[in-house]
Amino acid sequence: MSQRSDLNTPEKNLQNCPPNYTSNYQQAYADDEIDLRELWHAVWSRKWGIALITVVVMIAALVYALNAKNYYRAQVVLAPVQSEGKSAGLAAQFGGLASLAGINLGGGGASDTGTAIAILQSRKFGERFIQENNLKPYLFSKSWDADKKVWIEQSPGVMASIKALIMPASTGGQGGYQREPLAPGEPSLWDAYKEFSKMLTVSTAKDSGFVTVSVEFTDPVLAAQWATQMVQDINQLMKTQSLAEAQRSNAYLEQQLKKTSLAEVRQSIYQMMEANIKTMMLANTSDDVVFKTIDPAVVPEEKSKPKRSLIMAVAMVLGLMLGVFWALIRNAMASSKKESE
């Protein structure tokens, strides 16, 4: 078996081949090898071209970095307001009856926090915040004439004109929905929300549960003001909803109290009404209904972007890579031309 396997080895088979086949095989194998010295020679011989490409890329990056606006990030660190154990106990005992009455008795901290975060990131809340604080002139400063207090009407582009001819905008819709009335040159609320959503970040720490609301804008004072105002608005909104739900719940429970004479049911209703009264009392005496501010927003002094040093470093690496790639392509083209001749 060993002698037969020795006869079938590639070396034995190669020795038994004709001489021309062996030389052609060795030549093809040699052609497939990468000569690092040749590559280094190709790169080094074109070092000035590589340097020129790198400098051009770095100059373009420098122009971009110098013309880019500075952005500042203001953030507020919040702690969720936890519900007390008594409310959780009531939910465990009377959860079915409470849900029938539309009452939220238990676990308020986690569920209310999740609801508040979802509202903060929702389009409805963002559009209302933009309208109430008149943010459009700040979000579209290039289209706003601050002296005349009017929008600058710009001529539509070619693609916009073609789109308007093919798909004309409707002024009304079914079910009472109407398009937003806009002044000439005024951006829509849809576009304003898209710009505002790029500035807003809401994150939750997995270990501590703290919520961070960040606003990034070119004006550091406005960024701090908007971050603070958003926290106040979400607390006020949740406070209003909590009061309305507690009042509706008590109204329903008072009606059910008149209809029943069972002592156990009446006792349960009284306890849920007590929980609602406590909710209304806490909502009326405190502004921090869902979030309590741990670290308020301050006017940032350091910009968050652009990171000009990082831009220049990336531009230098990118320029070198493009230069080396150009040198290798030139070398390959010269080699193929030489072989063809």
Side-chain angles (χ1 to χ4, degrees):
M1 293 295 292
S2 61
Q3 294 178 354
R4 183 175 299 177
S5 61
D6 292 340
L7 293 175
N8 294 329
T9 57
E11 291 78 3
K12 295 293 183 180
N13 294 333
L14 189 60
Q15 291 177 0
N16 295 329
C17 293
N20 292 336
Y21 178 83
T22 304
S23 60
N24 293 335
Y25 175 81
Q26 293 175 349
Q27 180 65 29
Y29 183 78
D31 293 339
D32 291 338
E33 290 183 343
I34 298 176
D35 192 350
L36 296 179
R37 289 179 298 179
E38 182 181 354
L39 293 179
W40 172 253
H41 176 73
V43 172
W44 182 253
S45 61
R46 296 173 176 84
K47 57 182 178 296
W48 298 115
I50 296 174
L52 179 61
I53 293 175
T54 304
V55 170
V56 170
V57 173
M58 292 187 67
I59 291 175
L62 180 62
V63 172
Y64 167 77
L66 293 178
N67 292 329
K69 293 182 178 180
N70 291 334
Y71 281 81
Y72 301 86
R73 179 182 290 114
Q75 60 183 21
V76 186
V77 180
L78 308 169
V81 177
Q82 301 294 334
S83 62
E84 297 185 1
K86 184 174 180 181
S87 297
L90 286 174
Q93 295 179 5
F94 313 113
L97 185 59
S99 61
L100 180 63
I103 307 170
N104 182 15
L105 289 178
S111 60
D112 289 350
T113 301
T115 302
I117 292 176
I119 293 175
L120 271 173
Q121 297 175 322
S122 66
R123 176 179 294 275
K124 181 179 179 181
F125 182 85
E127 291 181 348
R128 187 175 69 174
F129 186 82
I130 293 171
Q131 288 179 318
E132 291 179 352
N133 296 276
N134 192 24
L135 300 190
K136 281 187 179 181
Y138 301 101
L139 299 176
F140 302 96
S141 58
K142 293 182 179 180
S143 303
W144 175 253
D145 191 337
D147 297 330
K148 298 180 181 179
K149 304 297 182 182
V150 295
W151 291 100
I152 301 173
E153 190 172 2
Q154 300 177 354
S155 58
V158 178
M159 296 303 298
S161 302
I162 296 175
K163 183 178 179 181
L165 291 174
I166 298 177
M167 301 177 60
S170 60
T171 57
Q174 299 179 353
Y177 291 98
Q178 300 292 331
R179 292 181 62 87
E180 176 189 5
L182 298 174
E186 180 183 1
S188 65
L189 197 58
W190 179 280
D191 294 330
Y193 174 75
K194 288 195 299 183
E195 292 296 323
F196 184 74
S197 61
K198 299 176 184 178
M199 303 159 38
L200 176 65
T201 303
V202 182
S203 59
T204 304
K206 295 182 179 180
D207 52 349
S208 61
F210 289 161
V211 178
T212 302
V213 179
S214 303
V215 176
E216 194 174 47
F217 193 57
T218 55
D219 190 331
V221 177
L222 290 177
Q225 291 178 357
W226 294 346
T228 303
Q229 187 63 42
M230 291 195 73
V231 176
Q232 294 176 356
D233 288 357
I234 190 61
N235 271 327
Q236 183 62 37
L237 177 62
M238 298 299 291
K239 176 180 179 178
T240 303
Q241 292 183 356
S242 179
L243 286 173
E245 291 177 359
Q247 291 172 358
R248 287 196 302 267
S249 299
N250 268 0
Y252 174 83
L253 291 173
E254 288 178 358
Q255 296 177 359
Q256 299 304 313
L257 191 63
K258 297 176 182 179
K259 297 179 181 180
T260 182
S261 59
L262 297 176
E264 294 181 356
V265 176
R266 293 177 68 88
Q267 182 181 2
S268 301
I269 292 176
Y270 282 130
Q271 289 180 351
M272 286 187 290
M273 292 178 66
E274 180 184 356
N276 281 330
I277 294 173
K278 185 176 181 180
T279 299
M280 290 187 288
M281 179 188 67
L282 293 176
N284 286 320
T285 57
S286 176
D287 294 331
D288 299 333
V289 178
V290 181
F291 295 122
K292 182 178 180 181
T293 302
I294 301 299
D295 187 11
V298 296
V299 179
E301 297 182 359
E302 297 181 357
K303 68 179 184 300
S304 58
K305 65 179 184 181
K307 301 184 183 297
R308 293 181 172 86
S309 58
L310 180 61
I311 292 175
M312 297 306 299
V314 172
M316 184 179 66
V317 175
L318 180 61
L320 287 173
M321 293 176 61
L322 290 176
V324 172
F325 185 68
W326 167 82
L328 294 178
I329 290 179
R330 289 294 302 271
N331 182 68
M333 293 175 61
S335 299
S336 61
K337 184 178 180 181
K338 185 177 179 181
E339 290 178 358
S340 62
E341 290 178 354

